[in-house]
Amino acid sequence: MYVCVNITSEKPSIDKLTEELLKNTDRTTGAVATFIGFVKGVVDGKKVYKLIYSAYEPYASKSLEKIAYEEAEKHGLKGVIIIHRIGELFPGDPTIYILVAAKSRHEAFTGVRNILERVKHESYIYKLEIREDGEYWVLGDGKRIQRFKEQSP
Amino acid sequence: MYVCVNITSEKPSIDKLTEELLKNTDRTTGAVATFIGFVKGVVDGKKVYKLIYSAYEPYASKSLEKIAYEEAEKHGLKGVIIIHRIGELFPGDPTIYILVAAKSRHEAFTGVRNILERVKHESYIYKLEIREDGEYWVLGDGKRIQRFKEQSP
Amino acid sequence: MIIKVKAFSVFTDILGKELVLEISDRENISLSEFIDLLAKKYSGLSKLLETIEYVILVNGERVEEEHLLRDGDEVAILPPASGGL
Amino acid sequence: MIIKVKAFSVFTDILGKELVLEISDRENISLSEFIDLLAKKYSGLSKLLETIEYVILVNGERVEEEHLLRDGDEVAILPPASGGL
């Protein structure tokens, strides 16, 4: 079972990640399912200027590893890669990459979906949304609190 | 709605396909779900040497386009790319790429799964499996008939 | 009247990938009559058509058995697809 | 005794990203006593802790409220995660 996680400001190559996954799994891998999240340019009808992601390291990376191993075990996955980007990201920028290798398409799809849901809730990664109508901390799956302390200039 | 299909012997770049999808969809795209199929090195416990895919063109491409448009309509997808490779493919080689762009992860996952199932059944694309125990035509989702006419040398 | 036949997958074992038939002894021929004619000419085809599911297309379209073929038509004989993976 | 506090997301509005507290007037302090002390020092923290769900970790682990902090411990105050997309 191959697991690789990374929290980084860099933008990775999906081709290289896919090759890495294939190289590190055995010859019975028939399916790779991938999810990529992108910064949306509009949320709740408001223009989004950028997102700022921050992570509580090293525990955020450890949480991603835990999710990857547990889901791989549960669904018989052959390989899992999770890359989460942090820092300033702009509309159209990719935020997260989840790649899952499995013998069949069913395992791969189930694996990638479950991993994404768990990353959203268990990852110690946090999002600030900078929009035309203010700055919002995003808590959990959609709750927003307006930022009440201006960042020092 | 952006649709691109291609039946080719070439191996495409997933990074380029993903960029193409983002470039051709609007700013509310938040999710891209991707499926890539690979030639397995072992099937039914037998070593696989190679697969030979053939397509009935131009109707195979038309069938992929039909599937892409219909599923995009049905699930509110923003973009669909389907690339199917033909010719000789060896273990570890990618055979099919399906990329789906949507506003949310749920639409993207549902879209890519449904498109894959339909491609398997409605695409006028055919597979010959060259294995250590003979050559098999694959019919539908797993039925195999041993080839009874040797290819001329 | 010239009819082109395209075969795929297991049907190529019997018919080859492509063949061109000239029908000279009659004015017109329905799709089912044409398939019967093929089956007489190529042994093994009848048995295969009884054994597996198949689709026959004329110029890429599904048509009725009684559909009359025209000069230059392309008839394709296809087993269940196996694209995807 | 030195305790490092790390705040994330909405908690940084009150605490900043990181602060270091020196507890000199007592031998030991439980996690809940420490959070009470923080709440006295930083107005708005109590209200926020009542308003939203949160997790407090000590050196990356979930611990009981009565857990006694030790010199050099890192206490993190975290709202619900919002990674992914």
Side-chain angles (χ1 to χ4, degrees):
Chain A
M1 187 192 305
Y2 174 73
V3 165
C4 170
V5 312
N6 196 12
I7 294 179
T8 172
S9 59
E10 303 291 309
K11 180 177 168 177
S13 154
I14 316 165
D15 286 300
K16 280 191 187 153
L17 295 177
T18 306
E19 268 171 39
E20 195 186 318
L21 207 46
L22 260 281
K23 209 175 56 193
N24 286 287
T25 56
D26 66 25
R27 290 160 58 90
T28 60
T29 294
V32 169
T34 299
F35 177 84
I36 308 172
F38 291 90
V39 180
K40 289 181 203 166
V42 181
V43 167
D44 296 340
K46 305 294 175 189
K47 204 181 245 182
V48 173
Y49 297 132
K50 65 181 172 186
L51 301 182
I52 303 175
Y53 281 97
S54 54
Y56 181 27
E57 285 286 47
Y59 307 109
S61 287
K62 281 185 185 168
S63 66
L64 296 184
E65 257 176 31
K66 182 171 185 285
I67 293 166
Y69 278 110
E70 284 176 3
E71 294 298 312
E73 189 70 41
K74 193 171 165 189
H75 302 288
L77 310 176
K78 298 185 176 298
V80 174
I81 296 178
I82 307 175
I83 311 285
H84 203 302
R85 295 180 73 199
I86 49 169
E88 295 197 346
L89 297 174
F90 297 87
D93 281 349
T95 61
I96 186 169
Y97 299 73
I98 303 173
L99 291 86
V100 167
K103 192 175 171 189
S104 84
R105 63 196 188 280
H106 303 296
E107 297 152 349
F109 283 131
T110 305
V112 73
R113 279 192 95 134
N114 288 15
I115 288 169
L116 177 58
E117 295 311 314
R118 288 190 61 184
V119 168
K120 289 173 68 69
H121 294 107
E122 302 171 29
S123 66
Y124 302 140
I125 297 174
Y126 305 95
K127 179 159 84 172
L128 178 65
E129 209 170 65
I130 316 285
R131 316 179 352 182
E132 59 179 332
D133 60 337
E135 304 191 356
Y136 293 84
W137 296 108
V138 183
L139 309 187
D141 210 352
K143 184 176 176 178
R144 282 170 173 80
I145 292 186
Q146 190 154 13
R147 196 179 195 187
F148 52 89
K149 180 184 168 190
E150 289 301 309
Q151 216 162 4
S152 46
Chain B
M1 187 192 304
Y2 174 74
V3 165
C4 169
V5 311
N6 196 12
I7 295 179
T8 172
S9 59
E10 302 291 307
K11 180 176 168 179
S13 154
I14 316 165
D15 287 300
K16 281 191 187 155
L17 295 178
T18 307
E19 267 171 41
E20 195 187 317
L21 207 46
L22 259 282
K23 208 174 56 190
N24 288 286
T25 56
D26 66 24
R27 289 160 59 91
T28 60
T29 294
V32 170
T34 299
F35 178 83
I36 308 172
F38 291 90
V39 179
K40 290 181 203 167
V42 181
V43 167
D44 296 339
K46 305 295 176 189
K47 204 182 245 185
V48 173
Y49 298 132
K50 66 181 172 187
L51 301 183
I52 303 175
Y53 281 98
S54 55
Y56 180 28
E57 285 287 46
Y59 306 109
S61 287
K62 282 186 186 169
S63 65
L64 296 183
E65 256 176 32
K66 181 170 186 285
I67 293 167
Y69 278 110
E70 285 177 2
E71 294 299 311
E73 189 71 40
K74 192 171 165 190
H75 302 289
L77 309 176
K78 298 186 177 296
V80 174
I81 296 178
I82 308 174
I83 312 285
H84 204 303
R85 295 180 74 199
I86 49 169
E88 295 196 348
L89 297 173
F90 297 86
D93 281 349
T95 60
I96 185 170
Y97 299 73
I98 303 173
L99 291 87
V100 167
K103 191 175 170 188
S104 84
R105 63 196 187 281
H106 303 296
E107 297 152 350
F109 282 131
T110 304
V112 73
R113 280 193 94 134
N114 288 15
I115 289 169
L116 176 58
E117 295 311 315
R118 289 190 61 184
V119 168
K120 288 171 69 69
H121 295 108
E122 302 170 30
S123 66
Y124 302 141
I125 297 174
Y126 305 95
K127 180 159 84 172
L128 177 66
E129 211 169 65
I130 316 286
R131 313 174 1 177
E132 59 179 330
D133 60 337
E135 305 191 356
Y136 293 85
W137 297 108
V138 182
L139 308 187
D141 210 352
K143 185 176 175 178
R144 282 170 174 80
I145 293 187
Q146 191 155 13
R147 196 179 194 186
F148 52 89
K149 179 186 170 190
E150 288 301 308
Q151 216 161 4
S152 46
Chain C
M1 182 166 58
I2 301 287
I3 306 292
K4 186 153 93 177
V5 176
K6 288 206 146 193
F8 287 86
S9 181
V10 64
F11 289 109
T12 63
D13 287 355
I14 294 166
L15 301 170
K17 283 188 182 171
E18 188 172 320
L19 52 97
V20 175
L21 267 82
E22 186 167 359
I23 317 265
S24 51
D25 55 342
R26 44 192 302 173
E27 277 294 292
N28 57 43
I29 187 167
S30 71
L31 179 58
S32 64
E33 288 171 323
F34 180 73
I35 298 299
D36 288 346
L37 193 145
L38 264 187
K40 258 175 232 155
K41 208 168 152 71
Y42 293 89
S43 68
L45 183 59
S46 295
K47 201 178 154 219
L48 192 57
L49 291 174
E50 282 161 23
T51 316
I52 65 165
E53 285 182 64
Y54 63 92
V55 177
I56 294 176
L57 301 181
V58 176
N59 303 325
E61 306 275 346
R62 289 175 191 244
V63 299
E64 302 291 314
E65 281 201 337
E66 315 84 66
H67 178 91
L68 293 181
L69 296 179
R70 303 202 300 184
D71 185 41
D73 276 354
E74 178 175 297
V75 174
I77 308 187
L78 310 157
S82 53
L85 71 165
Chain D
M1 183 165 61
I2 301 287
I3 305 293
K4 187 153 93 175
V5 177
K6 288 205 146 193
F8 287 87
S9 180
V10 64
F11 289 110
T12 62
D13 286 354
I14 294 166
L15 300 171
K17 283 187 182 172
E18 187 171 322
L19 53 97
V20 175
L21 266 81
E22 185 166 0
I23 316 264
S24 50
D25 55 340
R26 44 194 300 174
E27 277 295 292
N28 57 44
I29 187 168
S30 72
L31 178 58
S32 64
E33 287 170 324
F34 180 74
I35 298 298
D36 288 346
L37 193 145
L38 265 187
K40 257 174 231 156
K41 210 167 149 70
Y42 293 91
S43 69
L45 184 59
S46 296
K47 200 178 155 220
L48 192 57
L49 292 174
E50 282 162 22
T51 316
I52 64 166
E53 285 182 64
Y54 63 93
V55 176
I56 294 176
L57 301 181
V58 175
N59 304 324
E61 306 274 347
R62 288 174 191 245
V63 299
E64 302 292 313
E65 282 200 338
E66 315 83 66
H67 178 89
L68 293 181
L69 297 180
R70 302 203 298 184
D71 186 41
D73 275 355
E74 179 175 297
V75 175
I77 309 187
L78 311 159
S82 53
L85 69 165

